[in-house]
Amino acid sequence: MNVSKAVSNGLRRFVIGAVALAVFAIIATLIPRPFFPAAAAAGVGRVEILIVSNPIHSDIIIPFDDAVRKDFAFLKEGNGAKWFDNPNVRFVSIGWGGREFYLETPTWDKLKAFPLFKGLTIDNAVMHVEPLGDIFRDNPTVLPLSVTGEAMASLRSEIRASFTNNADQKPMLISGRSYGQFDDFYEATGYFNALLGCNTWTARMLRVAGLRTGLWNPLPQSLRLSLKLYN
């Protein structure tokens, strides 16, 4: 009887906690961050960036232009040597996430218990980089956004700062780990958990680029909604 009551109380607390977290997530999506929009920049060239997402993860896609080639020259390492100088590469996709889950789960059918556990608790972080050609903007997983040239420079700098450097101040490639022939993983700064994960990293990068997001965006759905509401 006591065991049954304890289980019942535990389930009740879990349900209450889950509902409270869901309510907070909705409220946090509807509160803009920053609260007041910045003054619009006049006479400044605009740059298109894109957010691509699946049910739990989001990546930032930036144009692979001369400025990116200069700031991210280290991408010539690893699989990047196969595509860095290819003129058909028009964009590069960059994401931040939990080390175990990111490295061990290229597709959902590869999901394992330990990487899932690490993703729900706390884990070291990694960066994932992948080259892209043309992008179909009418794809529902893709959200185009526009930033100023100055904001784009700030975004490049902040993304670059998310890579962990070695003693020579070069990002640390994770050799032999990729999903395919052209992508690469690198060690990243920070720690990952389910509440402050890949989507909160994406949101932080976008705020650096002058865009407004929700106060807290743990899921791609809430991030996309806040971006549409406030930009």
Side-chain angles (χ1 to χ4, degrees):
M1 186 67 176
N2 290 337
V3 172
S4 177
K5 186 176 181 180
V7 170
S8 178
N9 289 337
L11 287 173
R12 187 182 300 111
R13 286 193 293 269
F14 175 80
V15 171
I16 292 173
V19 171
L21 187 62
V23 171
F24 179 74
I26 293 171
I27 294 173
T29 299
L30 300 177
I31 299 175
R33 182 179 180 185
F35 193 80
F36 295 105
V44 179
R46 308 292 296 188
V47 179
E48 182 188 57
I49 64 174
L50 305 104
I51 303 303
V52 62
S53 58
N54 62 34
I56 64 169
H57 178 79
S58 59
D59 289 322
I60 299 176
I61 296 176
I62 59 176
F64 193 56
D65 55 20
D66 290 341
V68 173
R69 286 182 173 88
K70 178 182 177 181
D71 291 349
F72 294 79
F74 63 87
L75 294 179
K76 290 182 180 180
E77 298 180 65
N79 287 328
K82 303 173 185 176
W83 57 263
F84 193 90
D85 295 318
N86 188 331
N88 294 319
V89 175
R90 298 186 56 200
F91 299 91
V92 60
S93 173
I94 304 176
W96 181 96
R99 183 185 180 89
E100 289 294 330
F101 193 92
Y102 222 161
L103 290 177
E104 301 295 338
T105 317
T107 57
W108 287 113
D109 62 310
K110 302 295 184 182
L111 181 63
K112 302 173 186 175
F114 183 69
L116 179 60
F117 171 77
K118 292 288 286 184
L120 292 174
T121 53
I122 191 167
D123 197 2
N124 292 318
V126 294
M127 304 293 293
H128 183 238
V129 181
E130 182 177 12
L132 299 171
D134 291 328
I135 296 175
F136 297 99
R137 288 161 180 78
D138 56 351
N139 188 313
T141 66
V142 175
L143 177 63
L145 299 164
S146 176
V147 301
T148 66
E150 183 178 356
M152 185 66 222
S154 298
L155 176 61
R156 288 196 309 270
S157 177
E158 195 70 15
I159 291 175
R160 174 62 181 82
S162 294
F163 290 80
T164 298
N165 293 333
N166 60 20
D168 297 324
Q169 297 305 303
K170 291 183 61 177
M172 301 169 64
L173 175 70
I174 303 175
S175 300
R177 301 305 300 267
S178 66
Y179 291 161
Q181 298 182 41
F182 302 105
D183 63 305
D184 277 306
F185 284 97
Y186 290 80
E187 303 289 357
T189 60
Y191 293 92
F192 177 96
N193 66 64
L195 300 181
L196 297 172
C198 54
N199 301 298
T200 57
W201 177 87
T202 300
R204 180 167 63 85
M205 296 299 108
L206 296 178
R207 290 193 295 272
V208 169
L211 297 167
R212 300 169 79 201
T213 70
L215 180 65
W216 178 55
N217 297 119
L219 294 172
Q221 296 83 355
S222 65
L223 175 60
R224 290 170 65 94
L225 176 59
S226 67
L227 287 168
K228 291 178 180 179
L229 285 173
Y230 304 121
N231 298 282

